[in-house]
């Protein structure tokens, strides 16, 4: 009598194969996450360089960096965005109609093309307690007018600096959103 040798995977062999597949998938996803984070870090550093360059151009044109809002009607990050978009900070809070200067930052970094909007719709700056420009941008953009890092958080801008040092401070909070000065302009000098 001839026995048929039917070959099949045993339970142990199946578990080993599944374990190997699990390890390979874990390595793949960890590697993918590592590559994405490295890309985001590089992007954040490049964006900081672009904003820093725009701030230096702003300084050359206006003799000072964008200064924090008086009366705290907008954030430093909003004043940075509005100033580099072409709205000089001292005109934003005057009683006159806003006049747009040339923007000093590439449109792709602002995530919209400023020239595609009808600038005749810009409200008077004394409307709605002085923050009508920020509100107009929020409505136009559908988000807060600020530069966002690759993780969707605002780049932090300080001028004048709270630590008393000269110049401005510009940094990203990093991937976790809590690591202060993770990628600053000082890291790029």
């Amino acid at each position: 009598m001839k026995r048929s040798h039917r070959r099949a995977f045993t339970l142990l062999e199946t578990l080993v194969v599944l374990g190997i597949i699990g390890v390979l998938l874990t390595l793949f996803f960890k590697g993918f996450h590592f590559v994405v984070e490295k890309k985001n870090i590089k992007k954040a550093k490049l964006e900081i360089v672009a904003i820093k360059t725009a701030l230096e151009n702003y300084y050359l044109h206006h003799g000072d960096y964008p200064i924090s809002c008086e009366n705290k009607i907008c954030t430093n990050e909003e004043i940075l965005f509005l100033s580099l978009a072409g709205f000089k900070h001292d005109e934003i809070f005057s009683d006159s109609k806003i006049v747009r200067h040339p923007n000093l930052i590439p449109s792709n970094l602002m995530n919209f093309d400023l020239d595609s909007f009808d600038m005749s719709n810009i409200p008077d700056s004394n409307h709605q307690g002085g923050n009508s420009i920020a509100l107009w941008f929020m409505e136009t953009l559908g988000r807060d007018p600020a530069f966002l890092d690759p993780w969707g958080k605002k780049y932090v801008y300080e001028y004048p600096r709270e630590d008393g040092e000269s110049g401005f401070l510009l940094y990203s909070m990093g991937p976790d959103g809590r690591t202060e000065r993770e990628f600053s302009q000082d890291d790029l000098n």
Side-chain angles (χ1 to χ4, degrees), residues 133-147:
I133 299 300
L135 293 173
W136 176 77
F137 261 102
M138 285 179 78
E139 184 179 299
T140 303
L141 294 174
R143 64 175 176 84
D144 199 14
F147 296 110

Side-chain angles (χ1 to χ4, degrees), residues 168-183:
F168 62 88
L169 188 60
L170 178 68
Y171 58 91
S172 167
M173 295 297 275
D176 63 3
R178 296 183 307 253
T179 310
E180 190 171 330
R181 293 176 179 81
E182 181 74 23
F183 313 108

